[in-house]
Amino acid sequence: ESNVEKLLQSVWEDFNKRSDSGEVPEEVLQTLPLSVREMIARDAEKNKIYANVGFLYAYYDTQYDGRYMLIDGQQRVTTLFLVLLCLHLKEGKQDLFARTYLKDSLPKVDYKVREMSHDFLLEFIRFLVVSNGSVEEIKNQYWYYNNYDTDTTIKSIFDNYCTIEKFLSEYPIPLEFIENRVEFYYFDTKKSEQGEELYLYMNSRGESVQTNENIKADLLAGLSEKEKNEWGEKWESWQNFFWKNRGPNENADDGFNEFLKWIKIINLVNQPDGVGATEKSREIRKIIDFKNFNKDGISLGQIDEYMAALYSINSKLYPSLLRREWLSGKFTTIDYVKFLPVLVYAIKRPLHEQHEINRYARFFFNISRFDDVAKVPFFYILYSLQLTNLFLAKDYTDVVDLRNISKEGPYENILTAEEIFKLSLFNDPSNWVKREDIEDLFWAAEDFKLFDGSIKFIWYCMGFDYTQNSVDKFELKAFQRFFDYIKKLFSEPSDLLRRALLTHGDYALYDGFTSSFSGDRFSFINDPKGWKTLFESEEKKEIVRSFIHEYDHISQTEPGLSPDQILNKIILSFSPTKDTPEWIEHFVKKPQIFSYCTQKLVCFPSEAIDHIVLLQDKKAMSYNWQKLKDLLL
């Protein structure tokens, strides 16, 4: 605080010298003749008073075009930048500050080797400038983390901004003076031999130290020389593992740092401290979002234990369940739901069989694709770990035993009725089928691009109610058959399929309003998202089931027919009833209609043939639509 006040006091004193320098105020200048004004302006320019803030040592790096790397002068530059921010806000010039002192939404004064400082400064400016917030509200924002309070740079930025606000309210230095009258001497350290030596020395002090190196230093401190050597060797072997799996990274740091995050999150979830799910999920988010964190809760023995589990997983998990880029630090939020339960399982069950851990991993891989997980992933990281702790506390090893854990509360969207039925089938397959056969088939169906982990639509098409029927009534061959139909027909849906499907009803999905024709626009589905919506539609999925049953009947009675031959047979046998809209008959019988509609979009001002408009795109232009009646003619 005292350094900031000294700097501002110096600038204030220089500003006040201006009034003694003979400068003529602008309002007086405007009353004088033009020739006199020009003479006074020239003279004033020669005698302007500037506030000098001393030497700044820096260097220009061609790798960062247009940027200068500060070696000495960081505090002064940061302070002046905060002064500019404060004055722009006082004068209501937030937009001007953003245009002048931000580039590509990033502040022109930034922290390259202190990532926490960079993150805080960015959010600090964004909150004050973009959100029009006040400094009093900063510490209540979701992005303000607890350990900001103990970070020296961040604490100084916050406290000194408050000091600046207070100083400028008492000593009103104009924005124009700060912008145009504050100067400094710039010493480019790369332009002389002495500068080169100074640069090397100063830069060596500012080298960014990785999180895992800080934690290593903290954990080894206080150990005997013998212990330091033993654990130091282990640490090198751990680092070597992440080096081998670093992917395109230059070093092992991203992977090792990510691994330490896993331990922090698992430790947080395991704390029996009575903290609620909301607070724990927030803390999980902080750990994930934060690049720097401390060793609290991490021990050398614990790292050793987790590394042993990781080695085991690395050798046993199917490649589809353990993506190698995870070990290089490329981890999405959903990946924590997939992987952390498996890591905990491997620690508590060190003698696990390969098939056991793969089955457990497969379960969480699958539920990570559910919509609810994507909406609130930090809660599901918590729930998946808590569920795993319950599972292991009951001394279970087989994933099917998840059925025995209460489905209520936070686990109801993980242990769904569908998942429980699958686990029941795995646990008690029929005499004539192996568990592995059911698993392989179900897992292949779950991975089909239109299902996202849920296969209940296949059961629906089969007419099998998994909520009512028992395991012994399930027919694996029927499931295989109906899954094959859906795969063949909907992997790359054809216009022939679209026409055949219409013989069982209007399955088109609402797609907005076309103002050019004052009519609702409908899609006959041209993307995977649309087919998923259709399969989940309570109103229209019966159309698909009815169609699939006719397809199955023809396939069973005439086994030699190809899929296209079956679809043509369905179309040729189509007999409209008196309730069938006239347009459906045309769409079924005339292949050129869907051929014209390249995006499968049609506008229906009404169902009358004279009004229906065929579209080639959502936006109707003069050249990309045609009336249905004209096409028919």
Side-chain angles (χ1 to χ4, degrees), residues 23-34:
E23 286 191 27
V24 181
E26 182 65 25
E27 57 268 24
V28 175
L29 274 176
Q30 295 304 322
T31 65
L32 300 174
L34 179 61

Side-chain angles (χ1 to χ4, degrees), residues 60 80 100 118 198 223 367 373 407 420 425 442 492 556 620:
Y60 177 76
L80 289 169
T100 310
H118 162 82
L198 177 65
L223 298 181
I367 68 107
V373 176
K407 291 80 182 169
I420 296 299
L425 276 173
F442 277 19
E492 298 293 337
Q556 295 281 70

Side-chain angles (χ1 to χ4, degrees), residues 364-377:
F364 285 96
F365 169 82
N366 196 54
I367 68 107
S368 72
R369 298 185 282 197
F370 295 174
D371 287 342
D372 284 340
V373 176
K375 290 173 185 173
V376 284

Side-chain angles (χ1 to χ4, degrees), residues 467-479:
T467 63
Q468 300 294 326
N469 292 332
S470 59
V471 169
D472 57 3
K473 291 186 178 179
F474 178 77
E475 296 181 24
L476 187 64
K477 288 185 177 178
F479 181 91

Side-chain angles (χ1 to χ4, degrees), residues 282-346:
R282 283 179 185 156
E283 290 301 315
I284 289 171
R285 179 171 187 168
K286 287 180 184 178
I287 294 171
I288 291 172
D289 288 349
F290 231 42
K291 292 184 178 178
N292 297 309
F293 49 90
N294 57 36
K295 68 174 179 60
D296 291 352
I298 299 177
S299 68
L300 289 167
Q302 198 174 38
I303 297 174
D304 198 23
E305 183 183 32
Y306 276 83
M307 282 302 302
L310 189 59
Y311 293 147
S312 175
I313 291 172
N314 191 45
S315 64
K316 291 181 178 178
L317 272 192
Y318 297 148
S320 60
L321 301 177
L322 176 67
R323 300 209 318 273
R324 294 300 157 200
E325 58 264 33
W326 288 358
L327 301 175
S328 66
K330 289 180 172 57
F331 222 68
T332 69
T333 309
I334 300 297
D335 290 335
Y336 291 94
V337 179
K338 298 177 188 175
F339 185 67
L340 293 194
V342 186
L343 185 59
V344 173
Y345 181 100

Side-chain angles (χ1 to χ4, degrees), residues 71-132:
I71 294 173
D72 189 42
Q74 174 182 294
Q75 294 176 39
R76 283 169 289 160
V77 168
T78 306
T79 300
L80 289 169
F81 190 74
L82 295 176
V83 169
L84 288 167
L85 172 62
C86 184
L87 288 173
H88 276 85
L89 296 178
K90 280 170 69 76
E91 296 184 19
K93 296 179 178 178
Q94 289 90 334
D95 290 345
L96 180 61
F97 182 89
R99 291 197 303 274
T100 310
Y101 296 107
L102 302 183
K103 184 177 182 181
D104 299 328
S105 300
L106 294 174
K108 289 187 177 179
V109 170
D110 203 356
Y111 286 82
K112 180 175 180 292
V113 296
R114 297 186 187 177
E115 289 171 331
M116 276 209 303
S117 303
H118 162 82
D119 293 341
F120 171 78
L121 187 61
L122 181 61
E123 293 292 354
F124 181 82
I125 292 171
R126 188 179 291 160
F127 179 71
L128 295 179
V129 174
V130 179
S131 303
N132 291 317

Side-chain angles (χ1 to χ4, degrees), residues 428-573:
D428 187 23
S430 303
N431 293 329
W432 49 269
V433 69
K434 295 179 181 178
R435 172 175 175 174
E436 289 79 3
D437 293 337
I438 303 180
E439 287 174 331
D440 289 345
L441 182 55
F442 277 19
W443 294 348
E446 289 168 350
D447 291 342
F448 181 57
K449 65 180 181 178
L450 300 184
F451 289 157
D452 284 338
S454 173
I455 57 175
K456 59 188 177 186
F457 183 71
I458 303 176
W459 293 336
Y460 173 78
C461 290
M462 291 167 57
F464 180 82
D465 185 352
Y466 66 93
T467 63
Q468 300 294 326
N469 292 332
S470 59
V471 169
D472 57 3
K473 291 186 178 179
F474 178 77
E475 296 181 24
L476 187 64
K477 288 185 177 178
F479 181 91
Q480 174 78 72
R481 193 169 74 249
F482 277 81
F483 175 42
D484 284 345
Y485 296 153
I486 293 170
K487 241 188 336 184
K488 287 176 183 175
L489 295 169
F490 294 96
S491 288
E492 298 293 337
S494 65
D495 285 347
L496 195 63
L497 168 66
R498 291 182 177 92
R499 292 164 55 208
L501 192 54
L502 269 175
T503 64
H504 285 261
D506 176 12
Y507 62 89
L509 302 175
Y510 179 73
D511 192 65
F513 186 79
T514 299
S515 55
S516 302
F517 308 110
S518 300
D520 290 330
R521 183 175 61 248
F522 287 85
S523 169
F524 289 88
I525 311 180
N526 197 39
D527 57 55
K529 184 179 178 182
W531 293 112
K532 289 179 192 175
T533 302
L534 179 62
F535 292 172
E536 293 168 2
S537 168
E538 292 300 324
E539 178 189 358
K540 298 198 172 188
K541 66 181 181 180
E542 175 57 34
I543 295 170
V544 184
R545 176 160 73 171
S546 173
F547 160 75
I548 291 286
H549 271 274
E550 183 180 3
Y551 186 97
D552 177 52
H553 175 73
I554 297 172
S555 178
Q556 295 281 70
T557 53
E558 301 180 62
L561 296 181
S562 69
D564 281 0
Q565 287 173 323
I566 296 173
L567 293 174
N568 272 313
K569 195 172 183 69
I570 292 172
I571 289 169
L572 290 172
S573 62

